[in-house]
Structures are given as C-alpha cells and as structure tokens.
Amino acid sequence: MLIVILLFCGMTVQAQKDVKDEMKPYLSMRKLPDMLKWLPAPPDTTSEEFVHDIMRYMWGKKQRLNPERAAIAIRDAVWNIDSTLAEYFVPFGLELSFEKTPELYTFMVRSIKTCDQMGTRAKWFYKRKRPFMRMNEHMLTRNEEEGLINNGSYPSGHTIRGWSAALLLAELNPAAADTILARGMMYGDSRVIVGAHWQSDVDAGRLAGSAAVVALHTCPEFMEQLEKARAEFKRLTEARKE
C-alpha cells in the first residue's frame, strides 16, 4: 500500500510539472512590438541622461545600507516566476500557485512568459555595459555577475517581468491597484540597488512591460484566460468573506 501511495504521489507531482512546462507564451516575440523601432537608444556616456544614471547608481548603493530594502532587492533578483509571484502575495491579497489557484496561475505564468520576450532584441542590439562592469565594482548580488557579463543591460528584463506582473495583477484586483503598482515600481528600483542596471534601463523596462501587456489584450486566448482568472479570483475572495 505504501509503495502504491508513493507511486501515485510521484505521478501526480510529475503530471503537475509537465503541465507547468507546457505553459507557452500567448504571443511569440515576432507578434510583440519591436522595441528597436520605437524605443530610443540608451543614453550616451557624455549625455546629461547618463549623469542621471550615475547619480541613481550612487543612490542605489546608499539603499543597500538599509537591511530591509536590501533584502527585498536580493529577493527581486531571483529569476523565477514563482518567486516573482510570491513577492506580490501581500499587495495582491491572494497566494498564487498551480495547486491552489490554477486559473490565476496559468494566466500569470503564460502572460509573464510572453512579456519576458520584449527586451530580447534590444538587449542584443545595444549590448550596453551594466553598472557593475563600467564602475568596476561588485553587485550586491554577486552571484548574478557571471551570468550578466554577456547579457546587455538595456532594457532591464527583471523590470519588464516585475512591471508587467504588477499591471496584470492590478487588472485582476483593481481595488488593490495602488499597492500592487507600488510594489511593481520597487521591483524595478531593486535592479538599480543591486547594481545590475542603470535607471534608464529600468525606465525602458517599464515601457516595454506596458507595451507587452497592451499587446496581450489583442490575443483572444489571453482574453479567454483573463475571464477565467477573474472568475476564480472573485470566487476565492468571496469565499473568504463568508
């Protein structure tokens, strides 16, 4: 009997993993707005805009002295969709998981995977050096350094993910939009604090995330899942009030 139970549990976990792995983006990269056609190039190192980037880099280093803010920035650096969704648990008011909220989880994972593609072309085209490289200093999250050396800084991929997630969650729970969007802004700021991105990278990431979310609303499959997610959110939140 014990062997049967263990086999069943193992099969269930594997089945859930297979379903998660099959969650595809709603739109391919070629169906998303091309940032090279509408987003300005990153600031030149002799420009006033780059001076602002430097000043914000120094601001970020000061923020590292605040243990609570530094801890948030370190958590925001984790490149994992489940980790991103966990950061929005408090402002959104509901824990999102494949097991507890399948419709909401599917909606967010597929949407985020779509939005993640937005910065790819621009990153490889501009190949902008990241702050920790140009300043010859270590990041707050040193474990990221090796993987970021050959990854362009403009726009910020983490910011695209964090900001698009905030926009989508705010649409699902408009009553909490203020706190959700505030957390989304913090997500981008965290990339300046750890030294992974310039402020202009983060600003571009927010624009990219917004453009990706707009594009998602042209996809019938996305709109269908959005309604399922809304219905699940309404059912779960109303059940908690009873």
Side-chain angles (χ1 to χ4, degrees):
M1 180 63 71
L2 179 59
I3 293 175
V4 172
I5 292 173
L6 291 174
L7 285 173
F8 176 77
C9 291
M11 291 171 63
T12 301
V13 171
Q14 183 61 44
Q16 291 178 347
K17 183 180 184 300
D18 290 342
V19 172
K20 286 184 181 181
D21 292 342
E22 289 175 2
M23 291 186 187
K24 306 294 184 183
Y26 287 110
L27 299 170
S28 64
M29 187 166 65
R30 64 184 179 83
K31 291 185 178 181
L32 292 170
D34 186 350
M35 295 185 71
L36 294 178
K37 295 180 179 178
W38 57 270
L39 185 73
D44 185 86
T45 53
T46 60
S47 67
E48 292 183 6
E49 290 82 2
F50 188 67
V51 173
H52 178 64
D53 275 344
I54 296 291
M55 297 301 293
R56 288 292 289 175
Y57 174 76
M58 302 307 294
W59 167 86
K61 290 181 67 176
K62 288 184 179 179
Q63 298 305 303
R64 299 179 195 179
L65 302 177
N66 180 333
E68 293 182 358
R69 188 62 184 91
I72 292 172
I74 291 170
R75 293 202 310 269
D76 288 345
V78 178
W79 187 252
N80 177 281
I81 292 179
D82 286 340
S83 297
T84 300
L85 294 178
E87 291 304 314
Y88 286 98
F89 164 55
V90 173
F92 184 63
L94 192 66
E95 181 182 0
L96 303 183
S97 69
F98 179 77
E99 296 77 18
K100 296 179 180 179
T101 56
E103 301 296 353
L104 284 159
Y105 185 83
T106 298
F107 170 76
M108 289 302 298
V109 170
R110 294 190 65 189
S111 297
I112 289 173
K113 285 183 177 181
T114 303
C115 297
D116 280 348
Q117 304 171 98
M118 271 296 293
T120 303
R121 291 192 188 99
K123 277 180 172 290
W124 287 107
F125 182 81
Y126 293 115
K127 297 179 181 178
R128 190 185 193 190
K129 285 188 176 181
R130 293 172 180 269
F132 76 93
M133 297 166 64
R134 188 169 291 281
M135 305 300 284
N136 196 29
E137 296 179 339
H138 282 298
M139 294 172 56
L140 175 62
T141 49
R142 291 194 183 190
N143 61 296
E144 287 192 274
E145 293 179 357
E146 184 177 355
L148 296 180
I149 290 175
N150 296 315
N151 184 300
S153 187
Y154 187 84
S156 164
H158 278 74
T159 301
I160 293 174
R161 172 175 287 190
W163 184 241
S164 60
L167 292 174
L168 293 163
L169 291 170
E171 184 170 357
L172 289 167
N173 186 5
D178 291 345
T179 51
I180 293 170
L181 295 174
R183 184 63 182 90
M185 291 295 288
M186 287 181 67
Y187 207 99
D189 289 344
S190 289
R191 301 311 285 162
V192 176
I193 292 172
V194 299
H197 284 287
W198 305 105
Q199 182 63 49
S200 52
D201 301 334
V202 171
D203 295 341
R206 288 170 180 150
L207 287 172
S210 299
V213 170
V214 170
L216 277 169
H217 284 75
T218 68
C219 174
E221 192 175 1
F222 165 87
M223 295 302 295
E224 181 181 345
Q225 188 61 36
L226 171 59
E227 290 308 312
K228 291 180 181 179
R230 280 176 170 159
E232 184 176 69
F233 177 76
K234 181 179 180 180
R235 175 175 59 81
L236 292 173
T237 51
E238 287 182 350
R240 291 196 305 182
K241 295 177 182 177
E242 296 176 356

